[in-house]
Amino acid sequence: MNNKNSLVLVTGGTGYLGSHTVVELMNQGYDVLIADNLSNSYAEVVDFIEQIAGKRPGFVAVDLADCDAARAFFAGVGKIDAIIHFAALKAVNESVQNPLLYFRNNLFSLINLLENMHGHNIRSLVFSSSCTVYGQPDILPVSENCPFGKAWSPYGRTKQISEHIIEDSCKKENLNAVSLRYFNPIGAHPSALIGEYPIGTPGNLMPFITQTAAGIQKILHVFGSDYDTPDGTAIRDYIHVMDLANAHIAALEHLLHKKYKESCEVYNIGAGRGYSVLEVIESFEKVSGQKLNYEFAPRRKGDIVKIWADVTRANKELQWCVSRSLDEMTLSAWKWQLTLESRRK
Ligand code: WQD
């Protein structure tokens, strides 16, 4: 299939993961249309995508959780060959404080999307899921056959419910879908023109590290130093956001080139190995030359101890694997933070 004539709709395409995937899609010759309600991102990201890709993606500001707005959006766009659906709220703590906001936003936008896909005969969907569906797995590395764990937050539960909605829709509708269960995406595009851009105080580890090193945050609290891990701090499977973006291209082409075996498939998208919080800090200090100001603090409620992915299925069936190291992740995150600082001046 000639990518050049394929239009891919990327919902949430001005967000952290969406923007990096849009850049990779355009590099591969796809035309891209972004739909985003800008609730957790900035329209200027479209300008930076154009600067990187040398071509401007289409962009429509729309809230897909609004049924009428979603219907009007799809009625107004031309033929779409596939959809990559990132648009969702994803702050775990916020979801605990405001569960109905998360159920409404994340589930209504998916249901509106699926209904319009059916109405406009759009048959290929790549869905942004999360390793959070596993909770704390009993066996590591965790494989896709591991049943859903107890959802540790309403956010995680929306991902579990979304996967079920997609699975049932694939059985009934003329739909082929791939759900990608991300582990911990960090880092930024090598140009440092786009990256993770949290609004307000970051909840995630990497932006908190870079903001502490930049003097925006006073100190990094390491949540828990008494876990059952080699250095006592929690372990996660960190993956470079560019490797994650490439995984979406692999999943899209798996669908467009009809390489799927079932109408609904699920893949872990991680590096297949875990790093502790202290190992991430150590890597950051090495690549940035910055001594990080941190102290140990009590465990964070809702955190699991350790998780890393079994990525055999994605390696084999999507012919995809990571290619970037932890040091490349932390260095790219730091370069992005330095860009943000220079833009503030
Ligand atoms: C990583 C580690 C913290 C901040 C998130 C999402 C999850 C999925 C993956 C999307 C943990 C520790 C953090 C800090 C710290 N994303 N930490 N001090 O919680 O593993 O998962 O990303 O699907 O849904 O929740 O990521 O970056 O918040 O935490 O010590 O200031 O860093 O305790 O061990 P998490 P995180």
Side-chain angles (χ1 to χ4, degrees):
M1 180 170 203
N2 177 351
N3 300 349
K4 296 238 178 306
N5 304 321
S6 305
L7 177 65
V8 180
L9 169 63
V10 179
T11 73
T14 55
Y16 173 39
L17 307 182
S19 56
H20 288 79
T21 301
V22 167
V23 163
E24 281 306 284
L25 283 165
M26 298 180 80
N27 284 346
Q28 300 286 329
Y30 288 96
D31 288 332
V32 174
L33 172 60
I34 294 171
D36 201 305
N37 68 1
L38 298 176
S39 66
N40 194 24
S41 59
Y42 304 90
E44 66 178 1
V45 170
V46 180
D47 303 331
F48 296 122
I49 290 172
E50 180 181 15
Q51 210 176 323
I52 297 168
K55 193 177 162 201
R56 192 172 182 84
F59 171 68
V60 176
V62 57
D63 179 4
L64 293 172
D66 176 320
C67 184
D68 295 336
R71 192 176 299 129
F73 167 77
F74 278 94
V77 294
K79 180 176 176 306
I80 291 170
D81 294 285
I83 297 180
I84 302 180
H85 182 44
F86 289 101
L89 295 174
K90 60 125 192 157
V92 172
N93 290 345
E94 185 188 43
S95 78
V96 174
Q97 306 308 321
N98 197 340
L100 291 180
L101 169 70
Y102 272 66
F103 287 116
R104 170 182 293 278
N105 184 78
N106 292 4
L107 300 181
F108 281 26
S109 49
L110 175 63
I111 291 165
N112 289 338
L113 196 74
L114 291 169
E115 285 180 338
N116 283 282
M117 286 182 76
H118 177 70
H120 292 266
N121 199 26
I122 304 166
R123 301 183 179 184
S124 301
L125 172 67
V126 178
F127 174 66
S128 166
S129 189
S130 165
C131 63
T132 201
V133 302
Y134 297 119
Q136 174 62 70
D138 297 331
I139 301 168
L140 292 172
V142 60
S143 93
E144 294 86 348
N145 304 323
C146 174
F148 284 170
K150 174 183 170 309
W152 289 53
S153 68
Y155 160 76
R157 200 183 305 278
T158 66
K159 291 299 182 184
Q160 293 178 337
I161 298 169
S162 295
E163 283 200 26
H164 285 309
I165 291 172
I166 291 168
E167 188 182 355
D168 291 345
S169 302
C170 285
K171 285 182 191 136
K172 185 181 167 305
E173 314 290 348
N174 202 348
L175 173 68
N176 292 104
V178 165
S179 288
L180 300 182
R181 291 176 183 164
Y182 311 148
F183 284 69
N184 286 55
I186 62 172
H189 189 270
S191 67
L193 288 173
I194 54 175
E196 191 167 6
Y197 207 166
I199 296 175
T201 307
N204 291 128
L205 176 66
M206 197 69 241
F208 210 106
I209 286 176
T210 56
Q211 287 193 12
T212 301
I216 298 167
Q217 305 298 337
K218 280 198 186 53
I219 185 167
L220 168 76
H221 290 111
V222 175
F223 298 136
S225 57
D226 58 349
Y227 283 115
D228 174 20
T229 61
D231 64 19
T233 63
I235 293 173
R236 296 291 185 274
D237 183 333
Y238 296 96
I239 170 175
H240 197 293
V241 66
M242 294 310 296
D243 282 329
L244 186 124
N246 290 328
H248 288 79
I249 312 291
L252 173 73
E253 295 184 344
H254 181 75
L255 291 170
L256 293 179
H257 302 166
K258 301 190 184 339
K259 293 188 177 165
Y260 44 81
K261 294 188 184 68
E262 290 158 37
S263 62
C264 182
E265 296 175 325
V266 175
Y267 295 94
N268 285 337
I269 299 300
R273 50 145 169 46
Y275 286 107
S276 72
V277 175
L278 283 180
E279 285 174 316
V280 176
I281 292 171
E282 198 182 312
S283 163
F284 176 80
E285 290 182 328
K286 178 174 62 171
V287 300
S288 67
Q290 304 273 331
K291 183 86 188 75
L292 195 70
N293 184 23
Y294 70 89
E295 66 183 9
F296 293 114
R299 298 178 177 189
R300 180 172 66 177
K301 193 170 170 306
D303 271 352
I304 61 171
V305 184
K306 49 191 165 189
I307 189 168
W308 57 91
D310 174 345
V311 287
T312 316
R313 192 185 284 182
N315 295 165
K316 214 163 114 252
E317 296 177 21
L318 301 183
Q319 287 84 49
W320 169 88
C321 65
V322 295
S323 63
R324 295 161 176 94
S325 67
L326 178 63
D327 287 354
E328 287 173 280
M329 297 179 216
T330 55
L331 180 57
S332 65
W334 179 232
K335 286 183 175 170
W336 161 242
Q337 186 67 50
L338 294 175
T339 296
L340 287 176
E341 298 314 298
S342 65
R343 285 181 193 167
R344 286 195 179 97
K345 288 187 179 90

